Amino acid sequence: MTDRACSSINVTKQRLQELTTGSGTNTSSGSESGSISPSLSKDASKLQSSSNVHFQYASAAYDVRMLNKDITNIMVELNVKNLMIVTKLNDVGLYYLTRELTEWLLANYPDMNVYVDKQLDGDERFAVQDIIQECEANGNCSPCEHRVKYWTNEFIAQHDVYFDLVVTLGGDGTVLFVSSIFQQHVPPVLSFALGSLGFLTNFKFESFQDSLSTVINHKVKTNLRIRLECKLFRRNETDELNKDGNKVVKMKLENTFHVLNELTVDRGPSPFLSMLELYGNESLMTVAQADGLIVATPTGSTAYSLSAGGSLMYPTVNAIAVTPICPHTLSFRPIILPDTIRLKIKVPTKSRSTAWVAFDGKNRVELNKGDYISVSASQYWFPTVEARPTEFIDSISRQLNWNVREQQKSFTHMLSEKNKANYENLQSKPTVEKVEKEPVEVEVEEE
């Protein structure tokens, strides 16, 4: 992170702390120490009075927005020492692609450790001993025997902030698998597409050497994609009574998931519509009677939510989408909410049936009456290496034919051959009218 960004973070934190505690109103010293907003020092004289505290809030909010812009555009150097390869081993060809990638990394980066799936340990198709012997025989790298290692889900859970880069070979499902095994901090993810390009796999494996060389040897831009923290609470009735004589019901946290695409609550095999209470920051927003609800991230806006009628969202936008699945009322339209909201989806005790919940299409469990799911923005981002600035627009144009339409054609194809020839002769004749040269416009932005 740049010195400017670090200084801005400290100044913004200090200003927010002063505002929340009610201490200090003069921000002129903050502007001298690296504040992003140039208007703060200019208007410092206005901030002497406590009546302008709202102005300070607005200025601090502007600082945060500008700081977020700086963070979004930062180029980072990864310093890759431990690289992890994730491959869905459902095709024999993927074993050999993983082997080819491993051989190239060992030969070109002697200080790098390469971690592959534990399933490849001892596999004849991957043939790790042959890789080591060929690498050492070429004499272009250090001893490779201890540089090829294996990862497991347990190893990842025990080693937070360990890997410097994750390389995936496959499709969008492989990227979602990476999100499921990294339930805390996620290293930058570089995804190579095998087959048709998806929304998350924007690098072609045919040019993996050039792509990896650029990522490892130069600074790169990563997109911080928001994930959802989903907590499953179970209703437990007790024999306890409170001071008013009401029965005490305890809600027990059963599990927590961090999802990249969406949380889906549906009616499951029940023939009845699901009844779901939707709360926002502990206030009842609506009671949904539908086949279900989808709570999606911007990354997941191109998946199940889109099929159910949800809106497309740029992947780096900090927002949460709620999309109903076949609602009973046509007025129940999809809605986009701020990422600061805390949602709760509850199966009311008066519901006719239970509901089922899935996290990124996995870990599907039943929600009994009284159970609920708490959903909020996760503190653990999912960073993806950016292939090019237009990768998202390119992907929706390629996959969804976004705003693709046939261009209007000339009417000449409906003319007869005689009239078409006359039309073409007329168009080819040079015009003798005097054409005045129009002045060239130059746009200049004024502060």
Side-chain angles (χ1 to χ4, degrees), residues 298-355:
T299 299
S301 68
T302 57
Y304 195 179
S305 175
L306 181 64
S307 299
S311 174
L312 288 172
M313 288 194 290
Y314 203 81
T316 54
V317 171
N318 296 328
I320 300 174
V322 177
T323 306
I325 306 173
C326 299
H328 187 259
T329 57
L330 295 180
S331 60
F332 190 7
R333 308 309 304 158
I335 185 171
I336 297 176
L337 302 171
D339 66 330
T340 54
I341 197 170
R342 181 179 179 269
L343 297 175
K344 183 170 74 173
I345 303 174
K346 181 180 179 180
V347 180
T349 54
K350 63 181 180 180
S351 175
R352 300 176 66 182
S353 61
T354 62

Side-chain angles (χ1 to χ4, degrees), residues 347-394:
V347 180
T349 54
K350 63 181 180 180
S351 175
R352 300 176 66 182
S353 61
T354 62
W356 289 78
V357 59
F359 309 89
D360 273 344
K362 300 180 180 179
N363 304 304
R364 187 171 171 84
V365 294
E366 186 176 12
L367 291 178
N368 299 313
K369 298 177 182 179
D371 297 344
Y372 68 82
I373 298 288
S374 171
V375 185
S376 59
S378 172
Q379 64 173 314
Y380 304 116
W381 302 86
F382 192 88
T384 56
V385 179
E386 184 180 84
R388 55 195 173 278
T390 60
E391 62 181 18
F392 177 70
I393 302 300
D394 293 342

Side-chain angles (χ1 to χ4, degrees), residues 71 148 189 422:
I71 293 176
V148 180
V189 179
N422 293 335

Side-chain angles (χ1 to χ4, degrees), residues 83 85 98-99 101-103 105-107 110 112-118 120-122 126-133 135-136 142-151:
L83 184 144
I85 301 176
T98 306
R99 172 174 175 166
L101 177 57
T102 304
E103 290 175 344
L105 289 170
L106 293 175
M112 182 185 297
N113 297 318
V114 179
Y115 285 78
V116 296
D117 197 323
K118 182 64 176 177
L120 297 176
D121 188 8
F126 184 66
V128 64
Q129 293 301 325
D130 294 343
I131 295 176
I132 294 174
Q133 291 176 5
C135 179
E136 295 179 350
S142 59
C144 303
E145 184 177 358
H146 302 292
R147 292 173 53 210
V148 180
K149 303 182 180 182
Y150 302 94
W151 62 263

Side-chain angles (χ1 to χ4, degrees), residues 114-341:
V114 179
Y115 285 78
V116 296
D117 197 323
K118 182 64 176 177
Q119 297 181 48
L120 297 176
D121 188 8
D123 189 278
E124 296 180 354
R125 291 163 292 189
F126 184 66
V128 64
Q129 293 301 325
D130 294 343
I131 295 176
I132 294 174
Q133 291 176 5
E134 291 178 8
C135 179
E136 295 179 350
N138 293 332
N140 296 327
C141 55
S142 59
C144 303
E145 184 177 358
H146 302 292
R147 292 173 53 210
V148 180
K149 303 182 180 182
Y150 302 94
W151 62 263
T152 61
N153 293 355
E154 294 75 16
F155 181 87
I156 294 172
Q158 297 170 5
H159 294 77
D160 191 24
V161 197
Y162 179 79
F163 295 101
D164 303 304
L165 180 66
V166 175
V167 176
T168 68
L169 306 180
D172 287 356
T174 309
V175 180
L176 291 176
F177 174 73
V178 172
S179 176
S180 68
I181 61 178
F182 282 93
Q183 286 294 287
Q184 297 184 60
H185 294 94
V186 186
V189 179
L190 175 64
S191 303
F192 288 106
L194 299 179
S196 60
L197 295 177
F199 295 102
L200 296 172
T201 51
N202 293 296
F203 290 88
K204 295 182 179 180
F205 187 79
E206 291 81 358
S207 56
F208 81 87
Q209 297 181 1
D210 294 335
S211 299
L212 277 172
S213 297
T214 301
V215 171
I216 296 174
N217 299 326
H218 302 86
K219 291 184 177 181
V220 296
K221 184 177 180 295
T222 59
N223 291 323
L224 296 178
R225 296 172 180 263
I226 189 176
R227 292 200 292 178
L228 299 178
E229 181 183 55
C230 308
K231 295 183 177 180
L232 171 59
F233 288 88
R234 295 292 189 183
R235 173 187 173 92
N236 291 321
E237 295 188 2
T238 64
D239 296 330
E240 300 178 20
L241 299 177
N242 62 10
K243 61 181 181 180
D244 297 328
N246 298 322
K247 182 181 292 187
V248 175
V249 177
K250 295 183 178 180
M251 304 303 298
K252 182 180 180 181
L253 176 62
E254 180 176 291
N255 213 335
T256 302
F257 302 92
H258 297 268
V259 301
L260 178 60
N261 261 4
E262 75 277 307
L263 163 83
T264 305
V265 184
D266 59 68
R267 65 180 183 175
S270 172
F272 304 110
L273 288 176
S274 61
M275 176 182 288
L276 302 171
E277 294 176 347
L278 178 63
Y279 295 84
N281 294 332
E282 301 303 326
S283 298
L284 180 64
M285 296 174 62
T286 188
V287 178
Q289 289 190 337
D291 282 350
L293 285 177
I294 301 170
V295 182
T297 65
T299 299
S301 68
T302 57
Y304 195 179
S305 175
L306 181 64
S307 299
S311 174
L312 288 172
M313 288 194 290
Y314 203 81
T316 54
V317 171
N318 296 328
I320 300 174
V322 177
T323 306
I325 306 173
C326 299
H328 187 259
T329 57
L330 295 180
S331 60
F332 190 7
R333 308 309 304 158
I335 185 171
I336 297 176
L337 302 171
D339 66 330
T340 54
I341 197 170

